[in-house]
């Protein structure tokens, strides 16, 4: 008869949405500390989805110590507005879009590498002339 597994403490995990899944960022054993870290992560990156979950050890699992039952404690959805009680950094302002048909004048003029353009045109012309002379005589 297998020996019963010792009970494990309840843990709390902070996860961030990645693609179609969730990436675990941090796991701790104290709820107050986990909530504080969760609020800090939301404040640092207010455009990402975060969730705080409770992990309970699954004693009935065949995978010893590797399977947990989880319960959602808090979910941060950036489309629903700022988190309650938390301070969020404002998003950086985007540059205004240029109107079609108008070109922006460069702040600093850039000199054209005229010598390089002339060298490329000269090499291309010589290569074309040599190819013409080689294949024209046949």
């Amino acid at each position: 008869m297998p020996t019963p597994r010792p009970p494990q403490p309840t843990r709390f995990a902070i996860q961030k949405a990645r693609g179609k899944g969730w990436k675990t960022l941090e796991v701790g054993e104290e709820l107050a500390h986990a909530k504080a870290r969760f609020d800090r992560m939301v404040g640092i990156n207010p455009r990402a989805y975060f969730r705080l979950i409770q992990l309970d050890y699954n004693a009935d699992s065949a995978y010893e110590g590797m399977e947990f039952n989880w319960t959602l404690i808090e979910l941060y959805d950036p489309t629903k507005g700022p988190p309650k009680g938390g301070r969020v950094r404002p998003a950086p302002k985007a540059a205004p879009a240029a109107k079609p048909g108008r070109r922006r004048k460069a702040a600093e003029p850039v000199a054209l590498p005229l010598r390089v353009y002339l060298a490329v045109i000269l090499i291309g012309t010589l290569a074309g002339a040599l190819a013409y002379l080689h294949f024209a005589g046949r």
Side-chain angles (χ1 to χ4, degrees):
M1 180 172 195
T3 60
R5 295 183 194 113
Q8 291 194 2
T10 299
R11 295 191 175 123
F12 302 95
I14 301 169
Q15 296 181 328
K16 181 179 179 182
R18 290 285 168 116
K20 292 185 178 182
W22 292 89
K23 179 180 179 187
T24 302
L25 302 175
E26 191 173 297
V27 178
E29 293 185 4
E30 295 178 18
L31 179 60
H33 179 70
K35 274 192 176 271
R37 295 289 296 165
F38 178 81
D39 291 338
R40 174 176 264 180
M41 287 182 189
V42 168
I44 290 172
N45 191 358
R47 295 185 194 175
Y49 290 83
F50 289 97
R51 72 180 180 186
L52 176 62
I53 59 173
Q54 176 180 329
L55 299 172
D56 296 313
Y57 177 66
N58 185 2
D60 298 332
S61 171
Y63 306 103
E64 294 185 27
M66 300 298 291
E67 189 173 313
F68 294 84
N69 297 323
W70 64 274
T71 307
L72 180 66
I73 296 175
E74 190 171 344
L75 174 68
Y76 172 70
D77 183 352
T79 62
K80 303 293 184 196
K84 48 188 168 175
R87 209 182 113 193
V88 175
R89 291 186 308 182
K93 303 228 178 195
K99 293 180 183 176
R102 289 189 180 190
R103 290 188 177 184
R104 264 184 55 185
K105 199 172 193 178
E108 182 179 329
V110 178
L112 293 175
L114 191 57
R115 290 182 191 166
V116 174
Y117 290 143
L118 289 176
V120 168
I121 290 172
L122 180 63
I123 291 171
T125 304
L126 287 175
L130 287 174
Y132 176 75
L133 291 175
H134 180 66
F135 293 111
R138 291 186 175 187

